[in-house]
Amino acid sequence: MTLTAGLTAGGTAVASEPSPAAPGTAVVETAAPPEPEESDLVEGAPSAEAPVPTMPTVPGPAAGDDGIGLPTSKPTATLDARACEPGYQYVPTSKGKDYHKGVGAEQANYNGTSRTARSTFTSEVTGKVGIAYSGELKVGGSVAVVEIEGKFNVNLSVELTAKMGNTVSVDTPSKRTTHARYGVYRLKSWGYSQYVYTNCTKGVKKNVTVYTPRRVGWVLWESK
């Protein structure tokens, strides 16, 4: 983190003329620290679909009967007549807001002068941020991204890279501290994984919360 205005001996910023923010930098300024993501997330989505689950069954046949157990949701004649492609599907149901996943340490600058000062922050590391989730995500990350994009008409990625050297400048009011964190914004959404059998019956829904990379940028906020 640097100061375009320079520093006094005490480390406080000296007011200067504002300078423009770095071009192409996504910036969100908030009055309070950003809300954290959930604490029980698994970082990194599966790369492939989960193994085929065991076919659910009803109680077995009576003694001496050579039949087999049947699906808990018995297929109708109509379902039997049309085959389905077996496999897991992911169905998104609703979405929330973007949450910021930091790459590198949070930075901060205190302006101890009586005038507004200009603070400049520079990312100090390069890091990748991928999908994170809680629950049972049974499909590959790329499949989940396609389904979420289609449902909510958004542009997402399986993984984004926040690079070292990106810079942002912001005004820091007198006697205030500006905090800055560089990283990746991830869209929070909810949905479920479900297995579809060849006879078109469906397995149990497995609820999932997914954080999907959306854009790279800074999150900024102030404190006293």
Side-chain angles (χ1 to χ4, degrees), residues 3-221:
L3 287 177
T4 57
L7 298 174
T8 66
T12 55
V14 179
S16 69
E17 291 300 319
S19 59
T25 301
V27 178
V28 173
E29 295 188 43
T30 56
E35 291 184 36
E37 297 177 346
E38 296 171 32
S39 59
D40 61 344
L41 295 177
V42 176
E43 288 287 343
S47 58
E49 188 177 279
V52 177
T54 302
M55 187 73 165
T57 60
V58 294
D65 189 344
D66 292 330
I68 61 172
L70 298 174
T72 54
S73 176
K74 187 175 180 179
T76 64
T78 301
L79 288 176
D80 280 333
R82 73 171 196 271
C84 285
E85 184 71 26
Y88 275 103
Q89 62 178 1
Y90 180 71
V91 180
T93 55
S94 61
K95 71 178 179 71
K97 62 181 183 180
D98 292 349
Y99 287 78
H100 194 265
K101 177 69 173 179
V103 173
E106 177 187 308
Q107 302 179 47
N109 180 59
Y110 174 70
N111 176 14
T113 73
S114 59
R115 300 173 58 189
T116 296
R118 193 72 170 169
S119 298
T120 297
F121 302 96
T122 301
S123 58
E124 298 175 340
V125 298
T126 294
K128 296 181 179 180
V129 176
I131 292 174
Y133 68 95
S134 62
E136 298 186 38
L137 185 60
K138 298 293 189 177
V139 300
S142 59
V143 173
V145 165
V146 169
E147 296 297 334
I148 296 170
E149 285 182 326
K151 174 70 173 181
F152 304 118
N153 193 28
V154 293
N155 292 319
L156 304 171
S157 299
V158 175
E159 184 180 83
L160 289 175
T161 301
K163 297 181 179 181
M164 180 175 63
N166 192 283
T167 298
V168 66
S169 296
V170 61
D171 288 337
T172 301
S174 174
K175 311 303 181 184
R176 301 279 291 188
T177 298
T178 297
H179 302 263
R181 192 174 72 198
Y182 190 58
V184 173
Y185 287 90
R186 299 195 287 198
L187 174 68
K188 181 179 182 180
S189 65
W190 296 267
Y192 61 87
S193 302
Q194 187 176 40
Y195 194 82
V196 178
Y197 295 92
T198 54
N199 60 7
C200 298
T201 56
K202 296 182 179 181
V204 177
K205 293 179 180 179
K206 305 291 186 179
N207 291 329
V208 189
T209 301
V210 184
Y211 289 81
T212 319
R214 192 171 188 178
R215 57 194 172 91
V216 177
W218 291 88
V219 60
L220 306 171
W221 69 97

